[in-house]
Structure formats: structure tokens, C-alpha cells
Amino acid sequence: MVERKKIEIPEGVKKIESVGEEAEFPFDISPMYEGERIRKKEMYVELGGTEQPGFELVMALPAEEVEDMKVTVVGPDLNEMEEGKAYPYAMIYYVAGSQVETDLEPVIERRNHDFQNYLEGYMHLNQRYDIWIRIGKGAIKKGLNSFVQIAKATMMLFKNELPFIEKIEAVYITDAELVEKLLNEVAMPIFEERDARVEALHDEDVDEFYSCTLCQSFAPTNVCVVSPDRPSLCGAISWFDGRAAARVDPEGPNKAIPKGDIIDPIGGEYSGVNEFAKEESGGEYERVKLHSFFDYPHTSCGCFEVIGFYMPEVDGIGWVHRGYPEPAPNGLPFSTMAGQTGGGKQIAGFLGIGISYFRSKKFIQADGGWYRVVWMPKELKERVAKYIPDDIRDKIATEEDAKTIDELKEFLKKVDHPVVKGVVRPVDGKKITEGWVEEAEEEVEEEVEEAEEVAEQPAVAAQPQVFAPQPGQPLQLPALPQIQIPAQPSAGGGIKLVIKDAKIYIDKIVIRKPEEKKGGK
């Protein structure tokens, strides 16, 4: 177990300290500000996010080691920052109490997202090492000038909303070198330790799963179901964390979900989860399969760490993490796909997950698991490499192998990836895809004998069907570009269409004579 102890602040680094509760705050504090978005033009500064390192961490310590309501700010304070800039940011909380234990650390930590969004003019997104904070210009004009004020308000909310926390102390860090050092040497080992706990436990070993509704302020219909084999989308809550939270705060965002009867053991569908999904989504969704990418997939909130995306051109799935800045082979960057995927929707072709789901033995097992994966950024692949089966690891491309669909096709052929000849699902040995059909080059010719007859051709989508939703299935297909085949002018020699390397789906072709204009012209 990673030792929990207070961090050491290096000599010579600027710091300020403040002990005791704040008399008043220059901003409102209310749940009404949950979901508040601060756009770039409204932003005073950005903390963490895509440009700077950042993290949040809670550590449980003995009561005698925690100085209640003390704040230490290490590095430049808010009033020393330049408007419009991005800065590194770490928030560390020491907590103590008779009921506080190590198991509760991630639960308390995740509530930082909840409580900090109560602060007017302060936007908190994501979690762990992906935190993204924006402070609005309006809050600065109203008198917000120090991280001490933010920390004191947050700690007050922690103690008011979670009474089992008897003492709390905060250290906020904006010194770049120290943020990087603590992220790598303290925070990441603790996150890794938490994630590793659930590897020996599986869905069938327990009678109930747990919910997390913290993201519903941003994604009202999101239904986050946390099971032993599927952690939360943000990666911050495991099944153990959900159980601990439900015990100490039964009316909070983490509630027990009776599994009920198993409907689909491979897809991970349970009657109790379906009932919960219907209730929590306001009737928007009635079915959820925990381990399926295509068939009633888990909803995606917005705090997910990774997005999965289907590429019909290769009949495979790619994954891209939040920190990857370049477009994936489908031509879309993470940010664009996040806009399509998030909001608490079931989306055909996209899926948000937590990185620790890659550890799961049931990782999208209904759709072939790792044998359906064709592309990942090198950084992400290296991070989860030990969980990828040996016989497929080198067959999954990275940006060094392929940056476009065409390059990806060539790579997959070269390494003989299973998608080329058809994927066999390891969980039951069933072949679930047919592989690529190498079609001979075809020429399609249509002759129209009468010169006055012209073909009126509708827009034709040159894209394969991913799958057909079942009746009543509330899935939304992402908008994909269409290929228009322009109408050819008629001529005595007729019309000749040459179509190569494409599958064409046409509802109908209407051929009619043009109407004569009045006056005989």
C-alpha cells in the first residue's frame, strides 16, 4: 500500500498559509451554479486542462496530523496570474474522522467536482489527473483574488455535506515543477493502487452494482453504472468506492443497484440495471449493456477519460484519450468526438469509458474485446499494454503506424489483424464479423436509349451499415458525410457511370421525361 503522508514543500518556493474559516466570500455558493460553463472569452485564467498539468487528490490521515480548515497555497496566487493564461494546478486535501478510511478517498475526491461547481464563476471539469478549471472574469471583478477563498469554500462544503469528515486541510499548488513532481511520485501511484484493487473481483461475484449521478448536472440523462468489471466513465469510482460511499452517505450520488436477473451474460445486461436506467434517465433509456459497444451501450457523460470510435471502413474500433491532441484516423480530434459522444446519450459508433476499464476481463467482450481494437495513440497503448493479449498487441496500430484510414487499412493487412478475415469473439468462440470482402473492380453501365430521358439520382451514402437498432432502441447515429453522385447530362450515347471500390445503397431511382414548358419552349 502506498504510504499516505503530508507532502514536503521545498525550501525557497513561494507559499502562503491561512488557518480558520472564512467570514464571507466574494461569490455566491449554490447548487444552482452546477453546469455553469465559462467560455474562453469569459475566462480570466485556466488551470490544468489541455495545456498544463493538474490533478486532485484526497488522502486519509490520522486526526492529529490534520490541521482543520488550514489552506496552503504554493506558487503564484490568483492575484498574481495574467489574464487569459493557463497555469498548472494541484488540489490536495488531507481528511480525518472516525469513519474516514482509505476506501473513502476516491469518493471524497470525486465530490470535489460536485462542490466546486457550487461556486459562482468557477468551472470544474473532469477528475484525477485530467482536471480542467476555468475562473470567470466576473468572479474576479466581484473580489475573488486568492485560491485561499476557493479552498475555504470547498472545505466548508465538504464538512457540511459529508459530516463524517471531522477535519480537513488543503494544499493548492500552482508551481509547475512541484505539480509535475507530485503528480508522478505521489498521485499516480495512489491512483494505480486504487484501480488494481478490483482486478480479482468480477460482476458475477456480487449481488449489486452502484450508481454515480455526479455528472447529471452536465449530462441529465447519464446513467453511470459501476460494477466490478466496469468502473465509472471518469475512472475515479470503482465498485469498492461505490460501496463505501453508499454506506456512509446512502442519500448521496452513489446508490446500490440490485442486479436483478441476467438477460445477456456476454453483453452484461441485467433487469435491475435496466429498471435503474429507465428511472434515472427519466425514461429516456430502458436498456443498458455494460460490456457492449454497439448494442444498447452504456451512456456517455462528458468526464470520460477515453472515447471509442467505430471505423466502418475497417470494421474496427479505435480509442483516443483526452490528452491526445491530433486527429484520429477518422479525421476527428478528441474534442470533436467528445461533443458528439457526451451529454448522457447512447450513441451508435462512439463510447466514453474510463482508462481502468481496459483492465477488465469483460472489456467490450460482446464485440470481440481487444480483437476488435485497431488503433490507439502510442501513449495510451503503452499505458495499458500489459492488459492487451500478447497475440493482438502488436497488431493494434498507433499514430506511428497510421494517421489516416488508408494507412490504417494497409497496416492491418500487413499484420493480418483479425478484422481483415473476421473477428472470433474469445468469450464464446463465435465469429461475429465476416472480414473484408475483396471485391473485383466493377464497372456499372446504364444506357438510356431516348435522349430526352434523364436519370434523377438521389444522394447516395457510401457507408456500410454499422448495425440496425432494435425497435424502440433509443440510439442516435452520428452524422457522417455523404457522397453525392452528380446527374450526368444526357447525350445521344447515353450515360456511363463508373463506380470503383464502393458499396452503394440506393432507395430508388426515378426516370421520367422532363415536363414541357408552357409556350412550347
Side-chain angles (χ1 to χ4, degrees), residues 309-364:
F309 54 96
Y310 176 67
M311 291 175 281
E313 298 90 343
V314 296
D315 198 16
I317 297 169
W319 300 91
V320 61
H321 63 294
R322 189 175 294 276
Y324 185 68
E326 303 298 325
N330 63 357
L332 303 176
F334 181 95
S335 57
T336 300
M337 286 190 273
Q340 174 68 52
T341 308
K345 298 171 286 188
Q346 283 182 320
I347 297 293
F350 293 112
L351 181 68
I353 66 167
I355 287 178
S356 49
Y357 184 42
F358 287 122
R359 298 171 174 266
S360 175
K361 302 294 185 184
K362 293 182 172 62
F363 168 64
I364 60 165

Side-chain angles (χ1 to χ4, degrees), residues 24 112 205 258 276 285 320 327 338 447 494:
E24 58 182 0
N112 195 47
D205 299 330
F276 176 82
Y285 308 112
V320 61
E447 297 290 339

Side-chain angles (χ1 to χ4, degrees), residues 2 36 52 88 114 119 159 199 265:
V2 179
E36 177 186 15
Q52 296 288 346
D114 197 10
L119 310 185
K159 294 188 72 175
E199 288 185 33

Side-chain angles (χ1 to χ4, degrees), residues 277-290:
K278 183 177 181 179
E279 179 180 348
E280 286 298 309
S281 71
E284 187 76 14
Y285 308 112
E286 297 185 356
R287 297 179 67 182
V288 172
K289 295 189 178 185
L290 301 181

Side-chain angles (χ1 to χ4, degrees), residues 451-465:
E452 70 269 22
E453 291 183 349
V454 296
E456 294 181 1
Q457 301 165 6
V460 180
Q463 61 189 48
Q465 297 283 352

